[in-house]
Amino acid sequence: MKQLIVSFIYSIIVFAHSICADAQSCDVPIQIISSPQTENIPVEVLELLNSRLATAITSDGIIASMPYGQFFITAKFNHVTEGVVQGPPMQKAIHTSLTLIIGDMDGRQIYSAKTFDLKGVGTSSQRALINCLRSVNVRNQDFELFINTGRDKILNYYNKNYVSILAKAKKAADMKRYEEALYYACYIPECCIGYNDAYKCIMSIMQSYRDNDSETLYNKAYIAWSSSPNSEGARTASLYLSLIEPSSSVYSKSQQLATDIHKTIRCDYIFETRDKYNDSLALKKAYIDAARNIGVAYGCGQKETTTNLFWIK
């Protein structure tokens, strides 16, 4: 059941994003999860539907990624009737309702909901259910209202609470929990009134993150060279030095170490310094992209117990 809900909602989110894109370019963080279901959906239906939805998303050039987060969209099925249509051939008929919900996991609030009344007929229960989902019209005004209402309430939450969210990010960063810090800071949407503060916070955390990482790399390079001041040690040290970021606090002394190694061994090792990021705009974009990837990775590692939706009636 979970695969069906997730795959179907992926297609919903993709369309919802396109609705908002014209009005305002802004990604609103939301996760896709499955509510407890009472209906039994055949595995064959899940596999076929997942395949078709994946093809539809890919054909539009869209890559959907919905990690763990405070806000969610989910769906609940409730079959009204299941019957048989006399043939030939004999067919299955399903009448069901599908309720889509956008809500706040932490606050246990429903922000927006929309119910679709669906009917489908097919040569099997699997085919009938697929035909039910085909009848969902996500291009009508009611559905747009559902998406926009939920989106506006999520943005309103961030507008009111971004200061406390960034405080959590800074606290995590102070404890060198950089992945967690970036998870909090990167979830604040660009169209939130606090995004400028979030951007500064992200850049600061990323600098600390890279300083910490680069210092570790420098220490490994120094130890490798000090313990083996020969061609083998130089080769190992060069590997670590090549990964040190130009913007890090240890970059200058890493270059000095590279120079010392070169003078001692008189070798032609190339110590790549990643100068491709010297352009300030490219550097900023690289930082933001990297920060989001780190935050997403942290979010994806959260336990599934945080997605309990039994409170939804």
Side-chain angles (χ1 to χ4, degrees), residues 128-186:
L129 185 55
I130 289 173
N131 289 335
C132 280
L133 294 177
R134 282 176 175 172
S135 65
V136 175
N137 181 9
V138 297
R139 300 184 181 276
N140 58 42
Q141 292 183 349
D142 288 341
F143 183 80
E144 290 185 22
L145 179 61
F146 160 73
I147 290 294
N148 290 331
T149 298
R151 180 177 183 274
D152 289 346
K153 288 185 178 180
I154 292 173
L155 287 176
N156 185 57
Y157 172 89
Y158 281 110
N159 286 337
K160 289 183 177 180
N161 295 282
Y162 74 89
V163 173
S164 61
I165 294 171
L166 293 181
K168 288 198 293 185
K170 292 172 183 176
K171 182 177 180 180
D174 289 342
M175 300 174 71
K176 294 190 175 182
R177 300 202 305 260
Y178 300 115
E179 292 86 354
E180 179 184 351
L182 291 170
Y183 166 76
Y184 290 129
C186 288

Short mmCIF file of all heavy atoms in Angstrom, two decimals, residues 128-186:
data_model
loop_
_atom_site.label_atom_id
_atom_site.label_comp_id
_atom_site.label_asym_id
_atom_site.label_seq_id
_atom_site.Cartn_x
_atom_site.Cartn_y
_atom_site.Cartn_z
N ALA A 128 -9.12 -2.47 -12.34
CA ALA A 128 -10.17 -1.55 -11.90
C ALA A 128 -9.59 -0.42 -11.05
O ALA A 128 -9.96 0.75 -11.21
CB ALA A 128 -11.24 -2.30 -11.12
N LEU A 129 -8.65 -0.76 -10.16
CA LEU A 129 -8.06 0.26 -9.29
C LEU A 129 -7.20 1.23 -10.09
O LEU A 129 -7.22 2.44 -9.84
CB LEU A 129 -7.23 -0.41 -8.20
CG LEU A 129 -6.64 0.53 -7.13
CD1 LEU A 129 -7.73 1.36 -6.48
CD2 LEU A 129 -5.86 -0.26 -6.09
N ILE A 130 -6.46 0.71 -11.05
CA ILE A 130 -5.66 1.58 -11.90
C ILE A 130 -6.56 2.55 -12.67
O ILE A 130 -6.26 3.74 -12.80
CB ILE A 130 -4.80 0.75 -12.88
CG1 ILE A 130 -3.69 0.04 -12.11
CG2 ILE A 130 -4.19 1.63 -13.96
CD1 ILE A 130 -2.90 -0.94 -12.93
N ASN A 131 -7.67 2.06 -13.16
CA ASN A 131 -8.61 2.92 -13.88
C ASN A 131 -9.24 3.95 -12.94
O ASN A 131 -9.59 5.06 -13.37
CB ASN A 131 -9.69 2.08 -14.56
CG ASN A 131 -9.15 1.30 -15.75
OD1 ASN A 131 -8.15 1.71 -16.35
ND2 ASN A 131 -9.78 0.18 -16.08
N CYS A 132 -9.38 3.61 -11.67
CA CYS A 132 -9.86 4.59 -10.67
C CYS A 132 -8.90 5.76 -10.59
O CYS A 132 -9.29 6.93 -10.64
CB CYS A 132 -9.98 3.94 -9.30
SG CYS A 132 -11.44 2.94 -9.01
N LEU A 133 -7.61 5.46 -10.48
CA LEU A 133 -6.62 6.51 -10.33
C LEU A 133 -6.48 7.35 -11.60
O LEU A 133 -6.16 8.54 -11.52
CB LEU A 133 -5.26 5.90 -9.97
CG LEU A 133 -5.19 5.22 -8.59
CD1 LEU A 133 -3.83 4.59 -8.38
CD2 LEU A 133 -5.51 6.19 -7.47
N ARG A 134 -6.76 6.75 -12.75
CA ARG A 134 -6.69 7.50 -13.99
C ARG A 134 -7.74 8.60 -14.04
O ARG A 134 -7.59 9.60 -14.75
CB ARG A 134 -6.91 6.56 -15.18
CG ARG A 134 -5.69 5.74 -15.55
CD ARG A 134 -6.03 4.78 -16.67
NE ARG A 134 -4.84 4.06 -17.13
CZ ARG A 134 -4.89 3.05 -18.00
NH1 ARG A 134 -6.05 2.64 -18.47
NH2 ARG A 134 -3.78 2.45 -18.37
N SER A 135 -8.81 8.42 -13.27
CA SER A 135 -9.89 9.41 -13.31
C SER A 135 -9.64 10.62 -12.43
O SER A 135 -10.44 11.55 -12.41
CB SER A 135 -11.22 8.74 -12.91
OG SER A 135 -11.18 8.32 -11.55
N VAL A 136 -8.53 10.61 -11.66
CA VAL A 136 -8.21 11.76 -10.81
C VAL A 136 -7.83 12.94 -11.70
O VAL A 136 -6.91 12.84 -12.51
CB VAL A 136 -7.06 11.44 -9.84
CG1 VAL A 136 -6.67 12.70 -9.06
CG2 VAL A 136 -7.45 10.33 -8.89
N ASN A 137 -8.49 14.05 -11.52
CA ASN A 137 -8.21 15.25 -12.30
C ASN A 137 -7.45 16.25 -11.43
O ASN A 137 -8.03 16.90 -10.57
CB ASN A 137 -9.50 15.88 -12.81
CG ASN A 137 -9.25 17.12 -13.66
OD1 ASN A 137 -8.11 17.43 -14.00
ND2 ASN A 137 -10.31 17.83 -13.99
N VAL A 138 -6.13 16.33 -11.66
CA VAL A 138 -5.31 17.24 -10.85
C VAL A 138 -5.18 18.61 -11.51
O VAL A 138 -4.40 19.44 -11.06
CB VAL A 138 -3.90 16.64 -10.62
CG1 VAL A 138 -4.00 15.36 -9.82
CG2 VAL A 138 -3.18 16.43 -11.95
N ARG A 139 -5.94 18.84 -12.55
CA ARG A 139 -5.86 20.12 -13.25
C ARG A 139 -7.12 20.97 -13.08
O ARG A 139 -7.42 21.81 -13.91
CB ARG A 139 -5.57 19.89 -14.74
CG ARG A 139 -4.26 19.15 -14.96
CD ARG A 139 -3.92 19.00 -16.42
NE ARG A 139 -2.68 18.28 -16.61
CZ ARG A 139 -1.47 18.81 -16.56
NH1 ARG A 139 -1.35 20.11 -16.33
NH2 ARG A 139 -0.38 18.09 -16.71
N ASN A 140 -7.86 20.72 -12.00
CA ASN A 140 -9.04 21.55 -11.77
C ASN A 140 -8.78 22.55 -10.64
O ASN A 140 -7.80 22.46 -9.91
CB ASN A 140 -10.27 20.68 -11.45
CG ASN A 140 -10.05 19.80 -10.23
OD1 ASN A 140 -9.49 20.23 -9.24
ND2 ASN A 140 -10.49 18.56 -10.29
N GLN A 141 -9.68 23.50 -10.49
CA GLN A 141 -9.48 24.59 -9.53
C GLN A 141 -9.49 24.08 -8.09
O GLN A 141 -8.77 24.61 -7.24
CB GLN A 141 -10.56 25.66 -9.72
CG GLN A 141 -10.43 26.42 -11.04
CD GLN A 141 -11.47 27.51 -11.17
OE1 GLN A 141 -12.42 27.58 -10.39
NE2 GLN A 141 -11.29 28.36 -12.17
N ASP A 142 -10.30 23.07 -7.80
CA ASP A 142 -10.37 22.54 -6.45
C ASP A 142 -9.02 21.96 -6.01
O ASP A 142 -8.58 22.15 -4.88
CB ASP A 142 -11.45 21.45 -6.35
CG ASP A 142 -12.85 22.03 -6.41
OD1 ASP A 142 -13.00 23.25 -6.17
OD2 ASP A 142 -13.79 21.27 -6.70
N PHE A 143 -8.38 21.27 -6.94
CA PHE A 143 -7.09 20.69 -6.60
C PHE A 143 -6.03 21.77 -6.43
O PHE A 143 -5.19 21.71 -5.53
CB PHE A 143 -6.64 19.69 -7.68
CG PHE A 143 -5.34 19.02 -7.33
CD1 PHE A 143 -5.31 17.97 -6.44
CD2 PHE A 143 -4.14 19.49 -7.86
CE1 PHE A 143 -4.10 17.37 -6.09
CE2 PHE A 143 -2.94 18.90 -7.52
CZ PHE A 143 -2.92 17.83 -6.64
N GLU A 144 -6.05 22.76 -7.30
CA GLU A 144 -5.11 23.88 -7.17
C GLU A 144 -5.29 24.58 -5.82
O GLU A 144 -4.32 24.97 -5.18
CB GLU A 144 -5.30 24.85 -8.32
CG GLU A 144 -4.85 24.31 -9.67
CD GLU A 144 -4.94 25.36 -10.77
OE1 GLU A 144 -4.94 26.57 -10.45
OE2 GLU A 144 -5.00 24.98 -11.95
N LEU A 145 -6.55 24.72 -5.41
CA LEU A 145 -6.83 25.34 -4.11
C LEU A 145 -6.26 24.50 -2.98
O LEU A 145 -5.69 25.03 -2.02
CB LEU A 145 -8.34 25.52 -3.93
CG LEU A 145 -8.78 26.15 -2.61
CD1 LEU A 145 -8.22 27.57 -2.46
CD2 LEU A 145 -10.31 26.18 -2.52
N PHE A 146 -6.40 23.18 -3.10
CA PHE A 146 -5.85 22.25 -2.10
C PHE A 146 -4.34 22.44 -1.96
O PHE A 146 -3.81 22.58 -0.84
CB PHE A 146 -6.18 20.81 -2.51
CG PHE A 146 -5.31 19.78 -1.88
CD1 PHE A 146 -5.44 19.45 -0.53
CD2 PHE A 146 -4.32 19.12 -2.62
CE1 PHE A 146 -4.62 18.49 0.06
CE2 PHE A 146 -3.52 18.16 -2.05
CZ PHE A 146 -3.66 17.85 -0.71
N ILE A 147 -3.63 22.47 -3.08
CA ILE A 147 -2.18 22.62 -3.06
C ILE A 147 -1.78 24.00 -2.53
O ILE A 147 -0.92 24.13 -1.65
CB ILE A 147 -1.60 22.42 -4.47
CG1 ILE A 147 -1.71 20.95 -4.88
CG2 ILE A 147 -0.14 22.88 -4.52
CD1 ILE A 147 -0.87 20.01 -4.06
N ASN A 148 -2.40 25.04 -3.05
CA ASN A 148 -2.03 26.41 -2.66
C ASN A 148 -2.33 26.70 -1.20
O ASN A 148 -1.58 27.41 -0.53
CB ASN A 148 -2.72 27.42 -3.57
CG ASN A 148 -2.18 27.40 -4.98
OD1 ASN A 148 -1.01 27.06 -5.20
ND2 ASN A 148 -3.01 27.74 -5.96
N THR A 149 -3.44 26.15 -0.69
CA THR A 149 -3.79 26.35 0.72
C THR A 149 -2.73 25.73 1.62
O THR A 149 -2.25 26.36 2.57
CB THR A 149 -5.16 25.74 1.04
OG1 THR A 149 -6.17 26.39 0.27
CG2 THR A 149 -5.50 25.89 2.52
N GLY A 150 -2.36 24.50 1.32
CA GLY A 150 -1.33 23.83 2.11
C GLY A 150 0.00 24.54 2.02
O GLY A 150 0.70 24.74 3.02
N ARG A 151 0.37 24.94 0.81
CA ARG A 151 1.64 25.62 0.58
C ARG A 151 1.70 26.94 1.34
O ARG A 151 2.71 27.27 1.98
CB ARG A 151 1.82 25.85 -0.91
CG ARG A 151 3.11 26.55 -1.32
CD ARG A 151 3.20 26.65 -2.83
NE ARG A 151 4.44 27.25 -3.27
CZ ARG A 151 4.61 28.56 -3.39
NH1 ARG A 151 3.62 29.39 -3.12
NH2 ARG A 151 5.78 29.05 -3.79
N ASP A 152 0.62 27.72 1.28
CA ASP A 152 0.59 29.02 1.95
C ASP A 152 0.72 28.86 3.47
O ASP A 152 1.39 29.66 4.13
CB ASP A 152 -0.70 29.76 1.62
CG ASP A 152 -0.74 30.26 0.19
OD1 ASP A 152 0.32 30.25 -0.47
OD2 ASP A 152 -1.83 30.63 -0.29
N LYS A 153 0.10 27.82 4.02
CA LYS A 153 0.16 27.61 5.47
C LYS A 153 1.57 27.16 5.90
O LYS A 153 2.03 27.52 6.98
CB LYS A 153 -0.89 26.59 5.90
CG LYS A 153 -2.31 27.16 5.84
CD LYS A 153 -3.34 26.17 6.39
CE LYS A 153 -4.73 26.79 6.36
NZ LYS A 153 -5.76 25.86 6.89
N ILE A 154 2.22 26.39 5.05
CA ILE A 154 3.60 25.99 5.35
C ILE A 154 4.52 27.21 5.33
O ILE A 154 5.36 27.40 6.21
CB ILE A 154 4.09 24.93 4.36
CG1 ILE A 154 3.32 23.62 4.57
CG2 ILE A 154 5.59 24.68 4.51
CD1 ILE A 154 3.62 22.56 3.54
N LEU A 155 4.36 28.06 4.30
CA LEU A 155 5.17 29.27 4.22
C LEU A 155 4.90 30.19 5.41
O LEU A 155 5.82 30.82 5.95
CB LEU A 155 4.88 30.01 2.91
CG LEU A 155 5.44 29.37 1.64
CD1 LEU A 155 4.99 30.15 0.41
CD2 LEU A 155 6.96 29.31 1.70
N ASN A 156 3.65 30.27 5.81
CA ASN A 156 3.30 31.09 6.97
C ASN A 156 4.00 30.58 8.22
O ASN A 156 4.46 31.36 9.06
CB ASN A 156 1.78 31.09 7.17
CG ASN A 156 1.35 32.01 8.29
OD1 ASN A 156 1.63 33.21 8.27
ND2 ASN A 156 0.65 31.47 9.27
N TYR A 157 4.09 29.25 8.35
CA TYR A 157 4.80 28.66 9.49
C TYR A 157 6.26 29.11 9.49
O TYR A 157 6.79 29.51 10.53
CB TYR A 157 4.71 27.14 9.43
CG TYR A 157 5.56 26.46 10.47
CD1 TYR A 157 5.07 26.17 11.73
CD2 TYR A 157 6.90 26.13 10.20
CE1 TYR A 157 5.86 25.57 12.70
CE2 TYR A 157 7.70 25.52 11.15
CZ TYR A 157 7.18 25.26 12.40
OH TYR A 157 7.97 24.67 13.36
N TYR A 158 6.91 29.02 8.33
CA TYR A 158 8.32 29.40 8.25
C TYR A 158 8.51 30.89 8.50
O TYR A 158 9.49 31.31 9.12
CB TYR A 158 8.91 29.00 6.91
CG TYR A 158 9.26 27.53 6.84
CD1 TYR A 158 8.53 26.67 6.04
CD2 TYR A 158 10.31 27.02 7.59
CE1 TYR A 158 8.84 25.31 5.98
CE2 TYR A 158 10.64 25.67 7.54
CZ TYR A 158 9.89 24.83 6.73
OH TYR A 158 10.20 23.50 6.68
N ASN A 159 7.59 31.70 8.00
CA ASN A 159 7.68 33.15 8.22
C ASN A 159 7.62 33.48 9.71
O ASN A 159 8.27 34.42 10.17
CB ASN A 159 6.55 33.88 7.48
CG ASN A 159 6.78 33.93 5.98
OD1 ASN A 159 7.92 33.83 5.52
ND2 ASN A 159 5.72 34.08 5.22
N LYS A 160 6.85 32.71 10.46
CA LYS A 160 6.69 32.97 11.89
C LYS A 160 7.78 32.32 12.74
O LYS A 160 8.06 32.80 13.84
CB LYS A 160 5.32 32.46 12.36
CG LYS A 160 4.14 33.28 11.86
CD LYS A 160 2.83 32.74 12.44
CE LYS A 160 1.65 33.59 12.02
NZ LYS A 160 0.37 33.07 12.57
N ASN A 161 8.38 31.25 12.23
CA ASN A 161 9.26 30.45 13.08
C ASN A 161 10.70 30.33 12.59
O ASN A 161 11.48 29.58 13.18
CB ASN A 161 8.67 29.05 13.24
CG ASN A 161 7.35 29.05 13.98
OD1 ASN A 161 7.29 29.16 15.20
ND2 ASN A 161 6.26 28.93 13.22
N TYR A 162 11.08 31.07 11.55
CA TYR A 162 12.42 30.89 11.01
C TYR A 162 13.52 31.24 12.01
O TYR A 162 14.61 30.65 12.00
CB TYR A 162 12.61 31.67 9.71
CG TYR A 162 12.75 33.16 9.87
CD1 TYR A 162 13.99 33.75 10.06
CD2 TYR A 162 11.63 34.00 9.82
CE1 TYR A 162 14.13 35.12 10.21
CE2 TYR A 162 11.76 35.36 9.97
CZ TYR A 162 13.01 35.93 10.16
OH TYR A 162 13.12 37.29 10.31
N VAL A 163 13.25 32.18 12.90
CA VAL A 163 14.26 32.58 13.90
C VAL A 163 14.59 31.40 14.81
O VAL A 163 15.78 31.10 15.06
CB VAL A 163 13.77 33.78 14.73
CG1 VAL A 163 14.76 34.07 15.87
CG2 VAL A 163 13.62 35.02 13.85
N SER A 164 13.58 30.71 15.30
CA SER A 164 13.82 29.57 16.20
C SER A 164 14.43 28.39 15.43
O SER A 164 15.24 27.64 15.99
CB SER A 164 12.51 29.14 16.87
OG SER A 164 11.54 28.73 15.92
N ILE A 165 14.07 28.23 14.16
CA ILE A 165 14.65 27.16 13.34
C ILE A 165 16.14 27.40 13.16
O ILE A 165 16.96 26.48 13.30
CB ILE A 165 13.95 27.08 11.98
CG1 ILE A 165 12.50 26.66 12.15
CG2 ILE A 165 14.67 26.09 11.06
CD1 ILE A 165 11.67 26.75 10.88
N LEU A 166 16.52 28.64 12.85
CA LEU A 166 17.93 28.97 12.67
C LEU A 166 18.70 28.87 13.98
O LEU A 166 19.89 28.54 13.98
CB LEU A 166 18.08 30.36 12.06
CG LEU A 166 17.56 30.51 10.63
CD1 LEU A 166 17.77 31.93 10.12
CD2 LEU A 166 18.27 29.52 9.70
N ALA A 167 18.03 29.12 15.09
CA ALA A 167 18.68 28.98 16.40
C ALA A 167 19.05 27.51 16.63
O ALA A 167 20.14 27.20 17.15
CB ALA A 167 17.75 29.47 17.50
N LYS A 168 18.17 26.59 16.21
CA LYS A 168 18.47 25.16 16.32
C LYS A 168 19.63 24.78 15.41
O LYS A 168 20.48 23.97 15.78
CB LYS A 168 17.23 24.32 15.97
CG LYS A 168 16.14 24.37 17.02
CD LYS A 168 15.16 23.22 16.86
CE LYS A 168 14.35 23.34 15.59
NZ LYS A 168 13.31 22.27 15.52
N ALA A 169 19.66 25.37 14.22
CA ALA A 169 20.74 25.10 13.28
C ALA A 169 22.08 25.55 13.85
O ALA A 169 23.08 24.82 13.79
CB ALA A 169 20.46 25.79 11.95
N LYS A 170 22.10 26.75 14.42
CA LYS A 170 23.35 27.29 14.97
C LYS A 170 23.82 26.48 16.19
O LYS A 170 25.02 26.26 16.38
CB LYS A 170 23.15 28.75 15.35
CG LYS A 170 22.96 29.66 14.14
CD LYS A 170 22.56 31.08 14.55
CE LYS A 170 22.32 31.94 13.32
NZ LYS A 170 21.83 33.30 13.67
N LYS A 171 22.86 26.02 16.99
CA LYS A 171 23.21 25.22 18.17
C LYS A 171 23.84 23.90 17.73
O LYS A 171 24.84 23.46 18.30
CB LYS A 171 21.97 24.95 19.01
CG LYS A 171 22.25 24.16 20.28
CD LYS A 171 20.99 23.98 21.11
CE LYS A 171 21.28 23.18 22.38
NZ LYS A 171 20.04 22.99 23.19
N ALA A 172 23.26 23.27 16.70
CA ALA A 172 23.81 22.02 16.19
C ALA A 172 25.20 22.24 15.60
O ALA A 172 26.11 21.42 15.79
CB ALA A 172 22.87 21.43 15.13
N ALA A 173 25.38 23.36 14.90
CA ALA A 173 26.68 23.67 14.30
C ALA A 173 27.74 23.89 15.38
O ALA A 173 28.89 23.46 15.24
CB ALA A 173 26.57 24.89 13.41
N ASP A 174 27.35 24.57 16.47
CA ASP A 174 28.28 24.81 17.57
C ASP A 174 28.78 23.50 18.18
O ASP A 174 29.88 23.44 18.72
CB ASP A 174 27.61 25.67 18.65
CG ASP A 174 27.41 27.11 18.21
OD1 ASP A 174 28.08 27.53 17.25
OD2 ASP A 174 26.58 27.81 18.83
N MET A 175 27.94 22.47 18.08
CA MET A 175 28.29 21.15 18.61
C MET A 175 28.93 20.28 17.53
O MET A 175 29.10 19.08 17.70
CB MET A 175 27.04 20.47 19.18
CG MET A 175 26.39 21.25 20.31
SD MET A 175 24.83 20.53 20.87
CE MET A 175 25.42 19.06 21.69
N LYS A 176 29.26 20.91 16.39
CA LYS A 176 29.87 20.25 15.24
C LYS A 176 28.98 19.17 14.63
O LYS A 176 29.48 18.23 13.99
CB LYS A 176 31.25 19.68 15.60
CG LYS A 176 32.28 20.76 15.93
CD LYS A 176 33.67 20.19 16.05
CE LYS A 176 34.71 21.31 16.26
NZ LYS A 176 36.08 20.80 16.33
N ARG A 177 27.69 19.32 14.81
CA ARG A 177 26.73 18.43 14.14
C ARG A 177 26.27 19.15 12.87
O ARG A 177 25.14 19.61 12.76
CB ARG A 177 25.55 18.09 15.06
CG ARG A 177 25.95 17.39 16.35
CD ARG A 177 24.80 16.61 16.96
NE ARG A 177 23.63 17.43 17.18
CZ ARG A 177 23.27 17.95 18.34
NH1 ARG A 177 24.04 17.76 19.41
NH2 ARG A 177 22.17 18.67 18.46
N TYR A 178 27.19 19.27 11.93
CA TYR A 178 26.98 20.12 10.77
C TYR A 178 25.86 19.60 9.85
O TYR A 178 25.12 20.40 9.28
CB TYR A 178 28.28 20.26 9.98
CG TYR A 178 29.39 20.88 10.78
CD1 TYR A 178 30.54 20.16 11.10
CD2 TYR A 178 29.29 22.19 11.25
CE1 TYR A 178 31.56 20.72 11.84
CE2 TYR A 178 30.31 22.76 12.00
CZ TYR A 178 31.44 22.02 12.29
OH TYR A 178 32.45 22.58 13.04
N GLU A 179 25.77 18.29 9.69
CA GLU A 179 24.71 17.74 8.84
C GLU A 179 23.33 18.11 9.37
O GLU A 179 22.44 18.51 8.63
CB GLU A 179 24.85 16.22 8.72
CG GLU A 179 26.09 15.77 7.97
CD GLU A 179 27.31 15.65 8.86
OE1 GLU A 179 27.21 16.04 10.05
OE2 GLU A 179 28.36 15.20 8.37
N GLU A 180 23.17 17.97 10.67
CA GLU A 180 21.89 18.32 11.30
C GLU A 180 21.63 19.81 11.17
O GLU A 180 20.50 20.23 10.89
CB GLU A 180 21.91 17.92 12.78
CG GLU A 180 20.63 18.26 13.52
CD GLU A 180 20.71 17.95 15.01
OE1 GLU A 180 21.71 17.32 15.44
OE2 GLU A 180 19.79 18.34 15.74
N ALA A 181 22.66 20.61 11.35
CA ALA A 181 22.51 22.07 11.25
C ALA A 181 22.06 22.47 9.86
O ALA A 181 21.16 23.32 9.69
CB ALA A 181 23.84 22.75 11.59
N LEU A 182 22.65 21.87 8.84
CA LEU A 182 22.28 22.19 7.46
C LEU A 182 20.88 21.69 7.13
O LEU A 182 20.16 22.30 6.33
CB LEU A 182 23.30 21.58 6.49
CG LEU A 182 24.68 22.24 6.55
CD1 LEU A 182 25.69 21.43 5.74
CD2 LEU A 182 24.61 23.68 6.03
N TYR A 183 20.48 20.60 7.74
CA TYR A 183 19.12 20.09 7.55
C TYR A 183 18.10 21.14 7.97
O TYR A 183 17.15 21.42 7.25
CB TYR A 183 18.95 18.81 8.36
CG TYR A 183 17.51 18.38 8.52
CD1 TYR A 183 16.83 17.78 7.46
CD2 TYR A 183 16.82 18.58 9.71
CE1 TYR A 183 15.51 17.39 7.60
CE2 TYR A 183 15.52 18.19 9.85
CZ TYR A 183 14.86 17.59 8.80
OH TYR A 183 13.55 17.22 8.94
N TYR A 184 18.31 21.75 9.13
CA TYR A 184 17.38 22.78 9.61
C TYR A 184 17.43 24.03 8.72
O TYR A 184 16.40 24.52 8.27
CB TYR A 184 17.72 23.18 11.05
CG TYR A 184 17.44 22.12 12.08
CD1 TYR A 184 18.41 21.74 13.00
CD2 TYR A 184 16.19 21.50 12.14
CE1 TYR A 184 18.16 20.77 13.95
CE2 TYR A 184 15.94 20.52 13.09
CZ TYR A 184 16.92 20.15 13.99
OH TYR A 184 16.68 19.19 14.93
N ALA A 185 18.63 24.53 8.47
CA ALA A 185 18.77 25.80 7.75
C ALA A 185 18.30 25.71 6.31
O ALA A 185 17.69 26.64 5.79
CB ALA A 185 20.23 26.26 7.80
N CYS A 186 18.56 24.58 5.67
CA CYS A 186 18.23 24.44 4.25
C CYS A 186 16.74 24.21 3.99
O CYS A 186 16.29 24.29 2.85
CB CYS A 186 19.04 23.31 3.62
SG CYS A 186 20.78 23.72 3.41
#
